[in-house]
Amino acid sequence: MIAGSIALPGIKIGEGNFSGISDAKYVPTSVETLTEGTSFGIGDITLDLTELDRAELRSYSSTPINIPLSGGIGELRIIVPADIPTTADTAVAVGSVSDTHGSQGGIGRSTITYENELVANGAEPILHLDLSVGVGEISIKEK
């Protein structure tokens, strides 16, 4: 896989574009490809942030890096680095949200906020995820 590109066709995070139908896994190594965000109509998307350059991430410590990702129908699987302070706002109209703290689901759920242990213990967030799905699931895991 080439850094900054997607493993499967149909969606390219970092170009702020829309993809109709796609299943993809993305493992970026640089922050600059993430901040424009992306959206998809139908699909399963995995975003693994564990390969991001730690020195680059820490250089953003005064302002969190906002990463928007949204979909119509499908699953968003996000893997965040356990050693980087991370928060997320998640919204699923019909479906569920799961993270290291548990799972919530239903119809018409409002925004659910996630924060990893570093943020819960007082660290300022470096990564902030803005995630939404109309129908489906959002899962956030730490690695």
Side-chain angles (χ1 to χ4, degrees):
M1 178 185 305
I2 299 170
S5 65
I6 195 72
L8 300 173
I11 186 171
K12 186 169 182 181
I13 294 175
E15 292 198 355
N17 65 352
F18 174 81
S19 173
I21 300 174
S22 181
D23 289 344
K25 180 176 183 179
Y26 183 61
V27 186
T29 57
S30 174
V31 170
E32 78 179 60
T33 61
L34 294 170
T35 57
E36 292 179 33
T38 197
S39 61
F40 64 94
I42 301 171
D44 292 336
I45 305 298
T46 299
L47 177 60
D48 183 345
L49 300 173
T50 60
E51 297 299 317
L52 288 171
D53 181 271
R54 298 307 195 264
E56 180 185 14
L57 286 173
R58 289 187 176 96
S59 72
Y60 286 87
S61 62
S62 63
T63 304
I65 301 159
N66 189 51
I67 303 170
L69 186 57
S70 64
I73 300 172
E75 182 176 354
L76 290 178
R77 289 178 295 274
I78 312 297
I79 305 166
V80 298
D83 62 334
I84 297 297
T86 303
T87 59
D89 290 324
T90 63
V92 177
V94 178
S96 65
V97 175
S98 63
D99 61 26
T100 56
H101 307 293
S103 180
Q104 296 185 36
I107 297 174
R109 302 294 294 178
S110 60
T111 300
I112 299 166
T113 301
Y114 160 85
E115 58 183 35
N116 69 1
E117 187 176 335
L118 297 172
V119 175
N121 289 330
E124 290 296 319
I126 292 176
L127 291 175
H128 176 75
L129 307 165
D130 187 7
L131 310 171
S132 65
V133 171
V135 177
E137 179 181 349
I138 295 173
S139 64
I140 302 172
K141 296 183 180 179
E142 294 179 21
K143 182 175 168 187

